Amino acid sequence: METKALYIHIPFCDHICSYCDFAKVYYREEFVLQYLERLKEELDTLPHHPMETIYIGGGTPSALSLNQLKMLLNSIDPFVGDGTLEYTIEVNPESATLDKLETMHLHGVNRLSVGVQTFDNTLLKRIERYHTSSIAKEVVRNAKAIGFKHISIDLMYGLPGQTLEDVKEDLQIALSLPINHLSYYSLILEEHTRLYDNYEPLDEETEGIWSDYIVETLSRAGFHRYEVSNYALGNHESYHNKVYWHYENYYGVGIGATGKIDDELISHSRSLTDYLQGKNTIYIEKETLEDTMFNHLMMSLRLEEGLDLDEFKRRYHHAIEEVYKEALSKNLDNHNLVIENNHLKTNHTLDLLNSILLDFLPE
Ligand SMILES: C[S@@+](CC[C@H](N)C(=O)[O-])C[C@H]1O[C@@H](n2cnc3c(N)ncnc32)[C@H](O)[C@@H]1O
Ligand code: SF4
């Protein structure tokens, strides 16, 4: 399978948030410079042709200084061309200055993902974020003025002490801004994060009520829920993330990054020290056909459009009915799943996904 997507991980952050489990470290100038050199070496090992989609994620890519950002974008330039449909950078509001945004746009970046989390200043402080509501709004408006085609924000619900009224307020502000994509995550804490011990997660019923409110409000404003946590206006769905959900190939570079090339899942160690010393520790896991089929199903059922059954048969030479005979008939009979336009999809309830998938797990 052709590989048309590239993910680049920038692990540096100006501060470490109490809820975060991503591969990240504190920003240190000397580390950043070495990291960018290693990253260029790693990028040089990839075939130099334009990718259809590029995603620079973090950590906090906008934590880089303007010059460091230019170094990074120069290293990625060989992968940008006429065939590049989407080029995304994740930014944090407090470091997404106008000059950085303009530089990104000049290098062909056409999609910005702004980590807002909430527009409530008290909640922002409580989760140890360093921006304010007005800075977040200004960044989105600047992005629009500069001409970014796709503007997305990340919000989270279930924050400590957050109420449904706060969620309503966040949605109202979000919808007043010139965005065309929104990722709305429910806060999930891993055990080793600082916030874990002092956090009471939402109970299932409340989570359901909030989630329904979010879906309905966004839908009324024209934002359709195309994936469990993602909403888009018109055709502004994230092309890059759909590569993951369609279980297509992608390269991943930088610490903690993962890639998938055919039946190989490639993951990088999270060790910055190793990476800076030129030891690019990579783990390769070879998938069995059974694993690949299950992972493809699992990823695609996250999408509202579901799993493309023609594509499934084309890739694995088996029809879905042959592979998952019992699980499929059980979940079609109880209406948890439906087949529409030759796509297998969850029946209006993306939220039941985990329990449905248990039936399909390989033995
Ligand atoms: C990989 S993070 C990095 C983006 C950027 N550094 C930031 O913090 O805005 C991407 C998004 O994941 C979401 N996220 C991070 N930690 C989370 C958690 N514990 N639970 C749910 N979503 C989380 C946030 O919405 C965040 O914007
Ligand atoms: S949430 Fe974002 S800014 Fe905060 S530590 Fe994680 S990656 Fe860094």
Side-chain angles (χ1 to χ4, degrees), residues 323-346:
V323 186
Y324 300 111
K325 199 163 182 281
E326 280 167 29
L328 191 66
S329 52
K330 172 181 164 190
N331 282 281
L332 288 174
D333 287 349
N334 66 17
H335 307 290
N336 275 342
L337 294 176
V338 283
I339 295 180
E340 274 173 22
N341 300 325
N342 227 14
H343 281 68
L344 177 70
K345 48 202 272 188
T346 59

Side-chain angles (χ1 to χ4, degrees), residues 13 15-17 19-20 24 59-60 92 129:
C13 293
H15 62 276
I16 302 296
C17 307
Y19 54 85
C20 179
K24 79 283 168 189
T60 308
N92 280 28
R129 295 291 294 192

Side-chain angles (χ1 to χ4, degrees), residues 18-20 187-193 195-199:
S18 55
Y19 54 85
C20 179
L187 181 66
I188 309 250
L189 293 181
E190 299 296 329
E191 255 179 67
H192 54 269
T193 53
L195 195 57
Y196 184 81
D197 285 335
N198 303 314
Y199 176 69

Side-chain angles (χ1 to χ4, degrees), residues 77-319:
D77 278 348
F79 303 96
V80 185
D82 289 344
T84 306
L85 306 172
E86 194 177 278
Y87 185 178
T88 305
I89 300 195
E90 280 179 358
V91 299
N92 280 28
E94 69 276 18
S95 49
T97 51
L98 204 53
D99 50 0
K100 291 185 199 171
L101 296 183
E102 279 165 349
T103 300
M104 293 170 188
H105 192 248
L106 267 176
H107 280 260
V109 175
N110 62 7
R111 185 171 184 274
L112 221 57
S113 173
V114 188
V116 174
Q117 320 313 344
T118 170
F119 290 101
D120 185 300
N121 286 334
T122 310
L123 284 173
L124 281 169
K125 276 216 181 94
R126 199 173 295 154
I127 59 168
E128 302 176 9
R129 295 291 294 192
Y130 280 40
H131 65 269
T132 58
S133 174
S134 52
I135 293 176
K137 291 181 212 164
E138 189 183 314
V139 168
V140 171
R141 293 195 181 110
N142 285 344
K144 175 74 183 169
I146 289 170
F148 286 92
K149 184 171 168 204
H150 310 286
I151 304 174
S152 180
I153 63 170
D154 286 350
L155 292 177
M156 293 196 292
Y157 67 94
L159 299 175
Q162 192 180 32
T163 64
L164 182 56
E165 285 311 306
D166 297 329
V167 171
K168 290 181 180 176
E169 181 85 8
D170 274 348
L171 279 166
Q172 201 189 345
I173 299 176
L175 291 171
S176 72
L177 293 172
I179 58 168
N180 41 40
H181 187 281
L182 198 156
S183 301
Y184 217 139
Y185 301 109
S186 148
L187 181 66
I188 309 250
L189 293 181
E190 299 296 329
E191 255 179 67
H192 54 269
T193 53
R194 269 182 290 129
L195 195 57
Y196 184 81
D197 285 335
N198 303 314
Y199 176 69
E200 193 63 46
L202 293 180
D203 61 73
E204 219 172 285
E205 192 189 342
T206 312
E207 164 134 26
I209 295 169
W210 289 24
S211 169
D212 287 349
Y213 181 84
I214 290 168
V215 176
E216 279 161 28
T217 309
L218 288 172
S219 157
R220 271 200 305 275
F223 283 75
H224 62 282
R225 185 192 200 186
Y226 71 99
E227 193 267 348
V228 179
S229 312
N230 285 280
Y231 303 80
L233 199 59
N235 60 0
H236 290 277
E237 296 175 359
S238 164
Y239 187 80
H240 189 91
N241 288 334
K242 282 176 85 173
V243 167
Y244 303 148
W245 295 318
H246 289 154
Y247 217 48
E248 292 170 328
N249 282 357
Y250 54 95
Y251 296 113
V253 298
I255 64 167
T258 56
K260 174 193 168 309
I261 307 294
D262 301 326
D263 62 350
E264 290 190 344
L265 300 183
I266 303 148
S267 46
H268 287 62
S269 145
R270 282 187 169 199
S271 165
L272 180 68
T273 322
D274 282 358
Y275 195 76
L276 296 187
Q277 287 171 357
K279 279 188 241 146
N280 183 10
T281 314
I282 277 175
Y283 309 97
I284 298 182
E285 185 195 330
K286 259 209 181 293
E287 286 184 315
T288 62
L289 179 62
E290 263 192 331
D291 293 337
T292 308
M293 290 188 294
F294 175 75
N295 287 337
H296 186 174
L297 172 87
M298 177 172 70
M299 295 305 277
S300 289
L301 283 184
R302 295 182 64 87
L303 289 167
E304 204 279 332
E305 70 183 33
L307 172 71
D308 181 337
L309 297 181
D310 287 337
E311 176 65 12
F312 187 91
K313 188 156 186 202
R314 197 189 60 73
R315 276 197 218 170
Y316 312 120
H317 311 291
H318 293 290

